[in-house]
Amino acid sequence: MGIIGYSSPDCGMERYYTQENMKQLLDDWEAENRRLHESELLEIAKKSAREFIRDADGEPYKQEDWEMYLTEDASRVDKDTEAAMNYAIDDGDWFTLAENIGRLANS
């Protein structure tokens, strides 16, 4: 008895392959977008660091607060810059780490 309803070994997998392809394309775009905005992100981080230190008023720096500062400042530029900053944050780039705020502010 044959298998009814299957026209190829990959039957039913087309949707999966399409989704995986779309995920890969998105990942590639995010990485390229991050690379294209690298110098802009660093300048945003330097400016944000100075403001962050001033607004912290001696309180310890929290990573979540620093990430929020970076994202908000990048979003004021445009959506691609915001996406690049979020990618950098997710990737753990050095300038997105709260431990480097002082270094950024002094550069």
Side-chain angles (χ1 to χ4, degrees):
M1 182 167 170
I3 300 176
I4 300 172
Y6 292 97
S7 59
S8 74
D10 288 337
C11 183
M13 294 298 291
E14 278 184 53
R15 178 182 227 163
Y16 170 79
Y17 293 134
T18 300
Q19 289 173 340
E20 289 301 309
N21 189 38
M22 293 301 290
K23 286 179 190 175
Q24 184 60 50
L25 289 173
L26 179 60
D27 288 345
D28 292 346
W29 178 85
E30 289 175 331
E32 180 65 13
N33 184 52
R34 159 62 182 87
R35 188 186 65 73
L36 291 172
H37 288 86
E38 185 164 0
S39 62
E40 186 175 19
L41 297 180
L42 189 53
E43 289 306 311
I44 290 169
K46 289 176 184 179
K47 178 183 169 285
S48 296
R50 289 186 284 276
E51 292 172 4
F52 190 84
I53 290 171
R54 183 191 69 224
D55 293 347
D57 200 29
E59 294 292 318
Y61 305 145
K62 294 183 182 171
Q63 182 66 36
E64 303 82 33
D65 295 339
W66 175 234
E67 290 172 4
M68 185 179 69
Y69 248 76
L70 290 172
T71 301
E72 286 178 7
D73 287 347
S75 73
R76 290 186 187 111
V77 177
D78 61 36
K79 291 287 185 192
D80 286 347
T81 305
E82 179 182 9
M85 186 64 81
N86 284 327
Y87 186 82
I89 289 169
D90 291 344
D91 212 31
D93 286 6
W94 74 271
F95 59 87
T96 68
L97 303 176
E99 65 196 46
N100 294 317
I101 292 171
R103 177 177 162 198
L104 286 161
N106 293 324
S107 60

